[in-house]
Amino acid sequence: MKAVLCVRHGPPEALDVVDLPDPVPGPGEVVVDVAAIGLNFFDTLIIRDLYQVKPPLPFSPGAEFAGHVSALGVGVSGLAVGDRVCGYMTSGAAREKVAVAAEFLARVPDDLDLVKAAGLIVTYGTAVYALKDRGELKAGETLAVLGASGGVGLAAVEIGKILGARIIGCASSPDKVAFARAHGADEGFDYGAGDLKAGLKAFAGPRGLDMVYDPVGGDFAEPALRALGWQGRFMVVGFAAGAIPKIPLNLLLLKNCDARGVAFGAQANSSPPWLRDTIQELMGYAREGRISAHVDKTFPLHRCAEAIGEIAGRRVKGKVVLTTG
């Protein structure tokens, strides 16, 4: 089989495409013939050894995938060869076949495209975990989404709308703001158009924001936190801007507010039943047309380096997916 390997840490151009033996399922494992692999911003970091998860070399990037079951290991029940499935594995998905524990797989409905399914798990799973499970977002509350045109930000806009929030989508250009608004944000804010804190406060009104969803970090985190209202929640999702902000803790005291970490991967790995339930929830939303992976670009597997480069260069809106067909 073909596989994309990171054999030495570095930029996307350092990735290799190699031939490997087909995997054999161990006890409790399933081999999946991979049709599509979703890529995410953390793939740009993990190959450079800049991510908190550090798989041993060599490894394949890619954490989410969809395809067909081709072999079952001893002890696997509830799945059969030929079943359409999607799944999560912290890294290792960018190859034509993967062996994965059955507990990290979920069925894909026949009427849902496998390319779409491969792009749902990480971004929308993160949004569900942040907004619903960790953030307890309620209908009618105000939500600011930073990086609202990216995969994880756009997912938060759509999940926030399902949960009944009033949303302002923040992004780095007018067309990205328009993209977020087209997918459910009630208002938008272009970082280059003025003061972020003032813009968020104008949207939220005298009470301030109920929640900030921040996958960006950098210079945007503190002004967004300052726009939070009493007992607001600041959801720490990631640091796409590169810099990890140093927040003055007196702001949490003065606003009686919370900063809450959102580690989707750790949650998924520690609770496979939660992961399966969340994937099934997302599949239901997708079938109802309430969410979509919004795949901006697809690349064949052997062009994985180019695909990750597009994400690193912030030249996409929504998701990038690799295909093996």
Side-chain angles (χ1 to χ4, degrees), residues 3-41:
V4 177
L5 284 188
C6 178
V7 298
R8 59 197 179 280
H9 295 117
E13 295 77 20
L15 293 170
D16 292 333
V17 179
V18 302
D19 288 302
L20 294 178
D22 289 354
V24 176
E29 289 186 337
V30 172
V31 172
V32 177
D33 289 346
V34 176
I37 305 105
L39 295 176
N40 296 277
F41 182 77

Side-chain angles (χ1 to χ4, degrees), residues 12-187:
E13 295 77 20
L15 293 170
D16 292 333
V17 179
V18 302
D19 288 302
L20 294 178
D22 289 354
V24 176
E29 289 186 337
V30 172
V31 172
V32 177
D33 289 346
V34 176
I37 305 105
L39 295 176
N40 296 277
F41 182 77
F42 63 75
D43 288 306
T44 73
L45 302 177
I46 200 169
I47 63 173
R48 292 185 290 149
D49 201 27
L50 297 177
Y51 193 54
Q52 60 261 33
V53 177
K54 300 182 182 295
L57 296 169
F59 68 90
S60 295
E64 56 188 339
F65 61 92
H68 297 88
V69 172
S70 61
L72 303 173
V74 174
V76 174
S77 61
L79 290 172
V81 171
D83 283 350
R84 306 170 85 244
V85 294
C86 65
Y88 173 81
M89 50 195 302
T90 306
S91 64
R95 47 185 65 192
E96 291 179 324
K97 295 175 180 284
V98 296
V100 60
E103 61 185 352
F104 291 102
L105 296 174
R107 292 178 181 274
V108 176
D110 289 340
D111 56 354
L112 183 61
D113 180 69
L114 289 176
V115 170
K116 294 281 190 181
L120 287 174
I121 298 171
V122 171
T123 51
Y124 286 92
T126 298
V128 167
Y129 186 49
L131 302 182
K132 183 179 175 182
D133 298 331
R134 294 284 289 136
E136 303 168 291
L137 185 66
K138 301 173 181 65
E141 289 191 317
T142 52
L143 166 66
V145 177
L146 307 188
S149 70
V152 73
L154 196 66
V157 169
E158 294 190 342
I159 295 296
K161 186 56 61 175
I162 289 172
L163 296 176
R166 183 168 162 261
I167 302 168
I168 181 169
C170 307
S172 59
S173 67
D175 66 312
K176 290 182 177 180
V177 169
F179 184 69
R181 294 199 65 177
H183 291 287
D186 298 283
E187 293 187 23

